[in-house]
Amino acid sequence: MVNGIAPREAVERLKRFKEEFEVRSRKQEIYYLGEDLFGLPHQQYPKLEKTKQELGYLAQLYDLYVLVLETIKEWKDYLWTEVPQHIEDMRSQIEVFSNRCKKMPKQLREWPAYHELKKEIEDFSEALPLLVELAKPSIMPRHWQQVQELTGKELPVDSEMFMLQSLIDANLQEHIDEVTDICDSADKQLIIEKRLADITKQWSEEAFLFGSWKSRDYDCVLSGGRVAEIQEMLEEPDAADTMNAMRHSLP
């Protein structure tokens, strides 16, 4: 095994060496059959056995390396509108990748491919919770604008062709606390907006009542009881003022 080779070059080399090994392994099997036929002792091929062991080790690393890179590339090609339906699958799959990476033999953990593999998994693992947050219905254009300003990347989420690749390229994992705070504020703002909508609906349905007065046979004066009820409601602590004082009520 030769350390220090670029991961992608190593993948190509490993593929070629596997093919060469299979040719030699088949020849060994043929030789064994011939030796059995003539009653000869089996010839040992220690270098071939060592190569088989090394290829097995390297296959653990590079098979996972290729699988992770291809899988994440496939995920990056998702349209942003498709991401929510794939979140759980991505979450479970990245956990499987992480566990397999942690179980790599010790002698492989200094290889460049292992470090690149580990970083790919960790970066996506850190970005995934942020993708979950950003996919919530509470995230409005103003929040995306904040994320753009934070990352310095253009994120045209209104475009039908906006892809997950753009968010991954924005390196969200480098701004975990800030993005989390933006999403947390968005959740609280949505609660406030719903409460304000309830208040608006409530007062839009309130009405003064009129009644007749003395000998007049038509409604011409406010109903005192109803006025008192509305006055009492107005004197209650104003929920709108309370919410307006909250920092999350800012647009």
Side-chain angles (χ1 to χ4, degrees):
M1 296 191 293
V2 180
N3 200 347
I5 301 174
R8 286 171 176 77
E9 180 185 350
V11 169
E12 293 303 317
R13 285 194 185 188
L14 180 60
K15 181 179 178 181
R16 187 169 66 252
F17 290 155
K18 277 184 176 180
E19 293 172 352
E20 293 177 2
F21 174 79
E22 288 173 2
V23 171
R24 286 165 172 75
S25 181
R26 284 195 294 271
K27 286 183 178 180
Q28 182 187 30
E29 292 174 1
I30 293 172
Y31 294 160
Y32 274 11
L33 291 174
E35 290 164 351
D36 288 340
L37 180 63
F38 293 102
L40 298 174
H42 287 165
Q43 181 70 35
Q44 299 302 313
Y45 302 92
K47 289 185 178 180
L48 194 62
E49 289 301 319
K50 182 180 179 182
T51 299
K52 180 180 180 180
Q53 183 182 39
E54 290 180 347
L55 287 175
Y57 276 129
L58 293 175
Q60 289 185 61
L61 174 59
Y62 287 103
D63 286 355
L64 181 59
Y65 174 85
V66 171
L67 178 60
V68 168
L69 264 59
E70 289 181 348
T71 301
I72 291 180
K73 182 181 183 301
E74 179 183 339
W75 291 345
K76 289 178 179 179
D77 289 338
Y78 286 152
L79 294 173
W80 175 242
T81 53
E82 299 174 328
V83 170
Q85 69 193 63
H86 294 288
I87 285 289
E88 286 306 317
D89 178 60
M90 289 190 288
R91 199 200 308 267
S92 60
Q93 191 63 59
I94 206 71
E95 185 176 350
V96 171
F97 290 155
S98 179
N99 290 335
R100 287 181 61 182
C101 185
K102 291 174 183 176
K103 294 177 181 178
M104 282 289 166
K106 186 177 180 180
Q107 57 265 44
L108 296 176
R109 296 184 184 182
E110 297 303 320
W111 287 59
Y114 177 81
H115 294 297
E116 186 174 331
L117 169 67
K118 187 169 180 285
K119 187 176 187 305
E120 284 283 344
I121 294 172
E122 288 177 347
D123 285 352
F124 199 89
S125 296
E126 291 176 355
L128 191 55
L130 300 179
L131 301 180
V132 174
E133 292 297 314
L134 290 169
K136 288 181 177 179
S138 60
I139 303 299
M140 303 295 176
R142 62 179 180 270
H143 303 120
W144 282 111
Q145 181 62 36
Q146 288 178 291
V147 175
Q148 285 188 145
E149 293 171 358
L150 178 66
T151 60
K153 301 288 185 179
E154 185 176 354
L155 302 172
V157 291
D158 292 333
S159 170
E160 293 182 357
M161 299 307 296
F162 181 65
M163 304 176 75
L164 179 56
Q165 174 79 56
S166 298
L167 275 177
I168 299 300
D169 290 345
N171 297 318
L172 296 177
Q173 68 275 7
E174 295 180 2
H175 310 279
I176 293 177
D177 292 341
E178 294 87 346
V179 175
T180 300
D181 187 57
I182 291 172
C183 295
D184 183 56
S185 294
D187 289 340
K188 290 180 171 60
Q189 288 168 15
L190 183 61
I191 293 172
I192 292 171
E193 289 170 6
K194 288 181 177 179
R195 179 59 181 138
L196 288 174
D198 290 342
I199 293 173
T200 301
K201 182 176 183 297
Q202 175 189 352
W203 282 103
S204 67
E205 295 173 353
E206 296 294 344
F208 289 107
L209 298 179
F210 288 82
S212 59
W213 184 67
K214 293 186 177 181
S215 61
R216 293 179 174 81
D217 59 356
Y218 57 88
D219 296 336
C220 60
V221 294
L222 287 170
S223 172
R226 183 57 179 153
V227 170
E229 288 178 9
I230 292 178
Q231 187 173 9
E232 184 178 342
M233 292 169 61
L234 289 170
E235 290 174 353
E236 292 177 355
D238 194 339
D241 286 343
T242 302
M243 289 185 288
N244 191 48
M246 298 170 64
R247 72 183 183 93
H248 298 292
S249 65
L250 295 175

